[in-house]
Amino acid sequence: MDSSQVFTDADITRAFEILKGREKQSWIASGVWKDGAEFWKKFDYDSRIPFYTKFNILIDGVPIEACKELYGNLELRKQWDKGISTEELDSNKYYRTVHWKLILPAPCTPRDAVRLVTSFNWVAEENAYIMLFKNGQHPNRPETSDYIRMDTSLGYSILKQADNDPDSTVFFGMGNNDYGGWLPYCVLPYAASRTMYNLRDEMKKGYRDIYAKDKHQ
């Protein structure tokens, strides 16, 4: 995968090592676990941004190809995603520049970010799709007082077909984020887990609404 050196094959290798737990640093269970979902955090003070989170959550009833389109196609995503707003600002053959806005549970201030985001790429040896993202900038989206601007060193989203269920997808994610503001690190995993449960439920409804509608046209 050549993303003009912004993203490298080493980034992909590291993402799957994290997914498989092949790291020196240990992860701590965090957030709210239910329906088989898991949320973890760790601190690595040798990193530019020390705080890491990762999760896996089952998107039951949504096949992997549909999940890839619903999450990765930003125009399609606007039809169902109520918690995370995404707007493509620019693109090239390697990645898109995306303005990303997250509404957190009260009393948290909303966060935003400008990110460089790849498309979902198929990794045959892992039997999975992966999307990478990291911090970016764009002159048309400066910081504003309405949002706290996040910083992301590197993050990924991985989609795998659920075991023994071709109609469901397991969504894995990792973020190395500085969320800014006063929000303590102990609270962030709980806010993140709530956001992901909402995203799962909205994606399932979006799949039913959008794909069922397409079938009847």
Side-chain angles (χ1 to χ4, degrees):
M1 174 185 174
D2 179 6
S3 294
S4 190
Q5 304 307 309
V6 173
F7 300 97
T8 68
D9 290 338
D11 292 330
I12 295 179
T13 299
R14 179 164 179 255
F16 284 104
E17 287 178 348
I18 293 172
L19 185 152
K20 296 173 182 177
R22 298 175 180 170
E23 289 188 292
K24 295 180 181 179
Q25 299 92 355
S26 59
W27 292 80
I28 303 168
S30 64
V32 178
W33 291 32
K34 64 179 182 179
D35 303 332
E38 299 179 359
F39 295 86
W40 304 83
K41 68 180 179 180
K42 76 170 184 176
F43 293 90
D44 180 358
Y45 292 100
D46 292 330
S47 297
R48 180 175 69 83
I49 300 173
F51 185 60
Y52 289 75
T53 57
K54 70 174 182 177
F55 66 86
N56 63 75
I57 189 168
L58 176 68
I59 315 293
D60 53 306
V62 182
I64 187 171
E65 293 296 331
C67 191
K68 175 177 76 77
E69 286 301 310
L70 287 165
Y71 192 79
N73 183 324
L74 299 186
E75 289 303 313
L76 193 62
R77 188 167 170 177
K78 290 176 183 178
Q79 298 182 42
W80 63 267
D81 193 345
K82 304 298 189 292
I84 301 174
S85 171
T86 53
E87 178 189 7
E88 183 175 309
L89 305 174
D90 202 354
S91 66
N92 57 41
K93 65 179 181 179
Y94 303 111
Y95 55 81
R96 298 167 290 177
T97 303
V98 177
H99 187 220
W100 183 92
K101 295 189 289 187
L102 171 64
I103 306 301
L104 292 170
C108 302
T109 304
R111 265 57 176 175
D112 79 337
V114 175
R115 289 174 167 173
L116 309 180
V117 184
T118 71
S119 299
F120 273 115
N121 292 281
W122 179 251
V123 182
E125 58 268 31
E126 301 291 348
N127 202 31
Y129 285 108
I130 185 169
M131 170 193 286
L132 299 171
F133 57 88
K134 60 176 58 175
N135 203 58
Q137 296 181 342
H138 196 278
N140 292 340
R141 289 298 179 273
E143 295 185 38
T144 71
S145 59
D146 294 329
Y147 291 84
I148 294 175
R149 178 60 54 90
M150 291 172 52
D151 184 7
T152 300
S153 178
L154 178 67
Y156 68 72
S157 301
I158 292 174
L159 305 178
K160 298 192 70 143
Q161 180 178 297
D163 292 340
N164 304 315
D165 185 358
D167 294 324
S168 297
T169 304
V170 182
F171 189 138
F172 300 87
M174 189 281 291
N176 178 207
N177 299 311
D178 179 356
Y179 285 83
W182 59 265
L183 197 62
Y185 284 126
C186 62
V187 173
L188 286 169
Y190 293 92
S193 59
R194 178 174 172 179
T195 297
M196 288 310 303
Y197 288 125
N198 288 341
L199 183 140
R200 175 201 61 188
D201 294 343
E202 290 168 359
M203 183 185 289
K204 289 168 63 175
K205 183 178 184 302
Y207 173 71
R208 293 192 299 268
D209 292 347
I210 295 169
Y211 281 74
K213 180 176 66 177
D214 289 345
K215 287 179 180 178
H216 288 89
Q217 287 181 345

